[in-house]
Amino acid sequence: MSREYEIVVGLEVHVELATKSKIFCGCSTAFGAEPNTQTCPVCLGMPGTLPVLNQQALEYAIRAGLALNCTINKYSKFDRKQYFYPDLPKGYQISQHDLPLCEHGYVEIDTPEGPKRIGIRRIHLEEDAGKNIHAGDNIAAAQASYIDLNRCGVPLIEIVSEPDIRSPEEARAFLEKLRSILIYAGVTEAKLQEGQMRADVNVSVRPKGSTALGTRTELKNLGSFRSVVRAIEYEARRQWEALQRGEEIVQETRAFDEDRGITLSLRSKEEAHDYRYFPEPDLPPIVLTDAEIERIRAQLPELPDARKRRYMEEYGLSAYDAGVIVRDKAVADFFEAAVAAYGKGTEGAKVVANWVINELARILNEKNAELAQTPLTPDHLVGMLKLVDTGTISGKIAKEVFAEMVETGKSAEEIVKEKGLVQLTDEAALAEIALQVIEANPKAVEDWKKGKATAAQFLVGQMMKATRGRANPQLANKVIRAKLAEVTGVTNE
Ligand code: ADP
Ligand code: MG
Ligand code: ZN
């Protein structure tokens, strides 16, 4: 067998829709309520109750399908998926089996080899289950287990990809792009910390060059993109090593142990017939007209790829810069608002883009926060840029002011006033400082006398240090050279 192998991955992604109420009853979907306070006879699965489809959930699911380039089926239906688990009071989940709402879409991702399409096999609507809470560190050590049914009946879409993904990095890129598109489309907030987007990861391996699919395992319910990457890396290696030893891969469901970074066998894979699917008798099929689908298509907002192209055309941004900005809708909205308020055309847009891509991205990354979690507004950035333009603060000080704005939400003017950061442009004051610096650095002065022009740069640095970055650099440079010439009688270019 070839010593090189290829990873094949297909994802099943569950995304919570941003409706106010549940999919088949009027209960609230708000996160963080006391357990079991957002329930009713319908979502508790009481006998004799009837589900009614939430029209907003249906509309969001159609919008998601359109945003992901799917065909929307004009006839689809709900099915009961039977399994027994304490968090599922009805004993079945209402889902869609053989006739899903959306099919045959794709998501385009960026790879080192260029853009690549990952096929979407189907998208269907279903309800979420409740949540088991084990009193103790884990289920085995728990004295008791509790059940919170607030999540039971929260609307989900399940997005099933084709097995087109070839590496952990492509899996991450797919998930990030999917999340971005769905947030732009306004169908979900996809908050990862609240479990609003989770993935089942199907992994197989095969010798490089082979076209047949290998036997896969399914890794259940991964809640972070980092876990998806780690789980695929581990699982692909485990499978390949087993194959090299002449073993066969067992098609099974496995769990990823975050702490140990390994996957463990959970159970043999269930087949469709294990679920005894049958059509949901209490809900009518979903029948749509072309006009209804077209109405929803016409309302689709601008999606990230279109926005990226527009930023390249309208503002002359590079593909890379535009791509970084559009990734997070909140960041892109911030960028556009700042460009409009700054009002300097494409030049202004490039200045704003630089701050967004460099300083803002760096700070958010450091804080592990999203823009929405900070008090920063477009006006903050624009106020600061104006202080730079008028020479009130230097570019270096601007970075300090920017970080402070992100932290405190104070305006640039306020911060500059409070901290005394106004740029020193008074030539006489700078000449005074230049003299002090010259006296304190005789070695540099000797160098200057020997014809070393770089000594001036060193002394400008000392002036910046002495003024805590407030000296106007061009002026400091001019002043120090004049002073050096005056003191030593030597001029260097
Ligand atoms: P099931 O419904 O039994 O889970 P499907 O055939 O519908 O199985 O596939 C579910 C997911 O598994 C899809 O995302 C698909 O792309 C992926 N998949 C199927 N076969 C493989 C394979 N050999 N390797 C990796 N992923 C696979
Ligand atoms: Mg599956
Ligand atoms: Zn309810």
Side-chain angles (χ1 to χ4, degrees):
M1 220 193 292
S2 150
R3 298 200 58 82
E4 277 210 77
Y5 68 98
E6 178 173 65
I7 299 177
V8 176
V9 169
L11 299 176
E12 296 164 272
V13 188
H14 292 89
V15 177
E16 185 174 324
L17 298 175
T19 57
K20 293 205 164 54
S21 58
K22 294 187 180 178
I23 185 168
F24 300 123
C25 64
C27 291
S28 167
T29 55
F31 181 80
E34 281 293 299
N36 299 306
T37 54
Q38 293 169 347
T39 58
C40 74
V42 174
C43 55
L44 290 176
M46 297 292 179
T49 57
L50 286 172
V52 176
L53 178 60
N54 179 333
Q55 287 302 305
Q56 184 67 64
L58 174 60
E59 184 151 339
Y60 280 162
I62 296 169
R63 209 193 284 175
L66 293 170
L68 298 173
N69 309 296
C70 288
T71 305
I72 310 301
N73 291 325
K74 285 194 267 180
Y75 184 93
S76 68
K77 69 172 172 66
F78 287 105
D79 300 280
R80 290 188 180 180
K81 180 180 183 179
Q82 342 273 329
Y83 63 91
F84 180 76
Y85 207 64
D87 63 12
L88 190 71
K90 291 201 295 289
Y92 60 85
Q93 177 194 29
I94 302 180
S95 181
Q96 295 191 286
H97 182 48
D98 53 334
L99 296 173
L101 181 65
C102 321
E103 288 179 287
H104 314 306
Y106 65 86
V107 167
E108 193 168 284
I109 60 168
D110 288 324
T111 74
E113 296 80 40
K116 172 176 174 180
R117 280 186 184 184
I118 307 295
I120 304 283
R121 183 177 291 178
R122 55 183 278 160
I123 304 176
H124 63 257
L125 257 175
E126 62 184 27
E127 57 179 340
D128 205 350
K131 189 175 154 204
N132 292 340
I133 302 163
H134 306 297
D137 289 341
N138 60 61
I139 188 165
Q143 293 288 313
S145 288
Y146 302 92
I147 300 171
D148 176 8
L149 295 173
N150 283 350
R151 286 188 76 105
C152 212
V154 164
L156 303 178
I157 45 174
E158 177 173 333
I159 300 155
V160 182
S161 88
E162 295 293 346
D164 291 343
I165 296 163
R166 291 289 173 273
S167 67
E169 295 71 37
E170 285 187 16
R172 177 192 275 276
F174 173 78
L175 288 168
E176 283 177 349
K177 190 67 178 284
L178 190 66
R179 180 167 185 267
S180 170
I181 292 171
L182 294 174
I183 290 174
Y184 269 81
V187 305
T188 182
E189 293 183 74
K191 290 184 189 159
L192 298 171
Q193 336 74 261
E194 293 182 14
Q196 292 185 352
M197 184 172 177
R198 313 187 65 85
D200 297 341
V201 183
N202 298 273
V203 183
S204 64
V205 295
R206 62 186 176 192
K208 264 239 161 78
S210 155
T211 50
L213 287 174
T215 303
R216 73 180 140 131
T217 60
E218 181 170 356
L219 314 174
K220 273 288 185 203
N221 215 18
L222 298 171
S224 79
F225 298 168
R226 195 174 125 72
S227 312
V228 169
V229 169
R230 291 173 66 212
I232 295 171
E233 281 168 353
Y234 176 86
E235 179 61 12
R237 200 176 319 119
R238 183 193 71 82
Q239 289 183 11
W240 187 247
E241 283 170 8
L243 291 172
Q244 297 285 48
R245 288 193 299 268
E247 295 167 22
E248 280 191 5
I249 303 303
V250 185
Q251 183 164 339
E252 63 182 356
T253 301
R254 298 176 69 87
F256 179 58
D257 181 327
E258 303 268 355
D259 296 333
R260 290 191 283 167
I262 61 173
T263 65
L264 298 162
S265 177
L266 268 185
R267 55 179 184 259
S268 68
K269 179 167 168 43
E270 49 292 278
E271 301 286 342
H273 63 250
D274 294 322
Y275 291 120
R276 294 170 294 123
Y277 280 104
F278 69 83
E280 168 59 59
D282 291 341
L283 285 165
I286 303 171
V287 181
L288 300 166
T289 62
D290 285 326
E292 282 167 316
I293 297 167
E294 289 318 308
R295 174 183 64 79
I296 296 170
R297 193 195 302 278
Q299 289 168 356
L300 263 187
E302 183 182 45
L303 298 173
D305 285 345
R307 200 180 267 210
K308 176 178 166 183
R309 280 194 299 277
R310 181 163 64 79
Y311 286 1
M312 292 167 68
E313 285 160 18
E314 220 171 288
Y315 304 127
L317 298 187
S318 71
Y320 176 82
D321 288 359
V324 171
I325 294 172
V326 302
R327 216 178 281 155
D328 178 347
K329 179 168 186 293
V331 169
D333 290 345
F334 175 96
F335 166 76
E336 273 187 55
V339 170
Y342 190 39
K344 299 201 169 182
T346 53
E347 280 320 302
K350 279 177 197 158
V351 173
V352 172
N354 267 330
W355 280 93
V356 169
I357 292 165
N358 298 314
E359 288 309 294
L360 183 59
R362 186 182 57 73
I363 294 170
L364 293 178
N365 191 34
E366 250 172 47
K367 295 166 69 81
N368 195 17
E370 300 209 8
L371 176 60
Q373 292 167 291
T374 75
L376 191 76
T377 65
D379 286 343
H380 281 116
L381 175 57
V382 173
M384 186 206 81
L385 292 176
K386 288 187 174 153
L387 294 182
V388 176
D389 289 347
T390 55
T392 310
I393 57 174
S394 66
K396 184 163 175 284
I397 291 290
K399 287 187 183 169
E400 188 183 329
V401 171
F402 187 76
E404 185 78 12
M405 294 193 303
V406 178
E407 203 57 49
T408 63
K410 289 181 185 167
S411 72
E413 283 96 335
E414 251 179 294
I415 294 166
V416 166
K417 198 182 281 174
E418 256 176 38
K419 299 199 155 182
L421 297 174
V422 175
Q423 181 160 253
L424 289 177
T425 49
D426 174 352
E427 203 162 332
L430 285 179
E432 192 61 38
I433 293 161
L435 201 54
Q436 288 165 16
V437 163
I438 284 170
E439 277 163 10
N441 294 281
K443 165 100 178 36
V445 178
E446 280 311 304
D447 287 347
W448 175 267
K449 278 189 192 158
K450 288 180 203 147
K452 266 199 187 171
T454 50
Q457 280 154 37
F458 169 76
L459 292 172
V460 168
Q462 295 306 303
M463 287 179 72
M464 298 306 285
K465 207 166 160 188
T467 58
R468 287 181 298 123
R470 288 164 56 222
N472 175 306
Q474 291 80 28
L475 200 54
N477 191 41
K478 186 183 137 202
V479 166
I480 198 85
R481 282 167 190 274
K483 264 288 174 253
L484 280 167
E486 189 186 315
V487 172
T488 65
V490 178
T491 42
N492 287 312
E493 270 321 304

